[in-house]
Amino acid sequence: MKSHCKARARLRWLQTTGNARILFVLIVLAGCVTGCSRQMAPTPFPQNFVSPPPLPLPTRAPTPTALPAQFYLEQFRLELLRAGDDLSSAEALWNAALEIAPNDPEVQREGARLAWRQNALEVAAERANTALRLNPEDAEAWLLAGAIAEKSGDLETAQTALRTAETLKPALAESLFPTQWRIAIETGNKEALSQLAQSYLVTHLDDPHAAYYRAEALLATGYAPLALELLLLRMDTNSDAVLWYTLGRIYLAVSDPQNAIIALETASLLLSRGDQSLSLASADPVRDVNLTLGRAYLMVRRCEEALSLVQLLATPYPEAATLVEEAQQCTAPAPTPTFAPWMP
């Protein structure tokens, strides 16, 4: 009985002690919560505080703007200047411009320039014609069309195109003159030669080559004696090869082969020493000087000299074959007999 009572007393003590412990723990937790809330209390903002603007929201990436055709054309021109035989980069740039603006006359014109560099003359002519159809007032396109026609051998079309370019842009006259003059000579255009010679004389009165242009025009129009008089008044021993070459041809025209040979041999000597002035009168100075000199030799029956000269030309120049035949059939004049004085 006593033991039972002791057990019940002990249980009541444990319950009382446990309740006290639980109460103690709750009081401690309440204190911690109160302390933390005091530490985390927000600090009030000052009255003059300005809050920062909100951050921008992310947007879709901007759509890239396509480059204009002019950008590719500018790069194309630079590449064309840098490029040697490999024009692939230049062609890629031009194709990019063409894709953007196929009906732009400038794009078509530069395409003609590219094809001309690639020696695709038919393509170049087609593109140049397209450029001129789109803009017939483009002097540069006419200039390019003239160059393409000249390279294709259509000299009359080339001359017309160059004259049109000069009409549209008179400042081109100076740079176009040598090409126009050469084409006029090769086509035998007497009227063009006269007009060009007159225009050159007006703007280059004191230029020694003005005498050449005037004499060439006079010779072409059948006034060889006037051309001879002009050159004899203007020439001296220091004259350029082109003047001596023209003088030799004039002497042949007035049937004076002996003086023609002297003039032509002088022109040939100057040419061998590097005189470049003959390019004014001939697209192939070596051929033309030697063929003319060969004819002069044949006129005075210097057959062996004529044959040795024209035989060297026959391989690269088929037009020399006729002179070779003439030189082979040429017979030197019989020597004039000389008599020794009679001896007794």
Side-chain angles (χ1 to χ4, degrees), residues 259-281:
N259 280 321
I261 289 172
I262 295 172
L264 292 169
E265 286 179 342
T266 304
S268 180
L269 178 62
L270 292 173
L271 178 62
S272 68
R273 292 177 178 176
D275 190 320
Q276 300 297 317
S277 64
L278 275 164
S279 61
L280 300 175

Side-chain angles (χ1 to χ4, degrees), residues 296-336:
Y297 283 151
L298 287 174
M299 291 177 70
V300 296
R301 316 294 290 179
R302 291 169 60 172
C303 306
E304 292 183 3
E305 291 173 272
L307 183 60
S308 63
L309 182 62
V310 297
Q311 274 183 330
L312 295 175
L313 299 173
T315 301
Y317 305 114
E319 58 268 35
T322 302
L323 282 180
V324 170
E325 293 180 4
E326 292 182 23
Q328 290 173 339
Q329 297 173 3
C330 172
T331 56
T336 303

Side-chain angles (χ1 to χ4, degrees), residues 100-184:
I100 296 170
N103 294 322
D104 188 326
E106 188 176 357
V107 171
Q108 292 293 337
R109 183 190 70 204
E110 295 308 310
R113 196 187 310 278
L114 172 65
W116 185 78
R117 284 283 301 272
Q118 294 171 326
N119 205 32
L121 298 182
E122 291 185 5
V123 176
E126 181 181 350
R127 292 174 182 173
N129 288 334
T130 301
L132 290 171
R133 187 175 63 252
L134 294 169
N135 182 14
E137 302 299 316
D138 186 355
E140 192 171 348
W142 282 108
L143 182 62
L144 185 58
I148 295 168
E150 182 188 9
K151 196 171 183 179
S152 302
D154 189 355
L155 299 182
E156 293 183 358
T157 299
Q159 189 74 291
T160 301
L162 295 178
R163 279 199 296 264
T164 305
E166 183 181 347
T167 301
L168 292 170
K169 193 174 182 180
L172 291 172
E174 187 77 17
S175 59
L176 288 179
F177 182 88
T179 303
Q180 290 178 303
W181 180 262
R182 186 173 61 252
I183 292 175

Side-chain angles (χ1 to χ4, degrees), residues 195-217:
Q195 291 176 352
L196 289 168
Q198 289 289 353
S199 65
Y200 194 89
L201 186 63
V202 170
T203 56
H204 302 79
L205 184 60
D206 297 327
D207 188 334
H209 290 154
Y212 155 67
Y213 291 121
R214 185 63 182 146
E216 186 77 68

Side-chain angles (χ1 to χ4, degrees), residues 10-31:
R10 186 176 180 83
L11 179 62
R12 283 196 296 271
W13 180 85
L14 288 173
Q15 291 175 349
T16 302
T17 305
N19 291 336
R21 288 179 178 177
I22 292 171
L23 180 62
F24 175 77
V25 171
L26 291 174
I27 292 171
V28 171
L29 289 175

Side-chain angles (χ1 to χ4, degrees), residues 74-87 89 93 117:
E74 290 174 1
Q75 298 301 315
F76 163 79
R77 293 187 184 98
L78 291 175
E79 184 61 31
L80 207 60
L81 289 173
R82 289 194 297 260
D85 295 331
D86 185 6
L87 297 172
S89 296
L93 289 167
R117 284 283 301 272

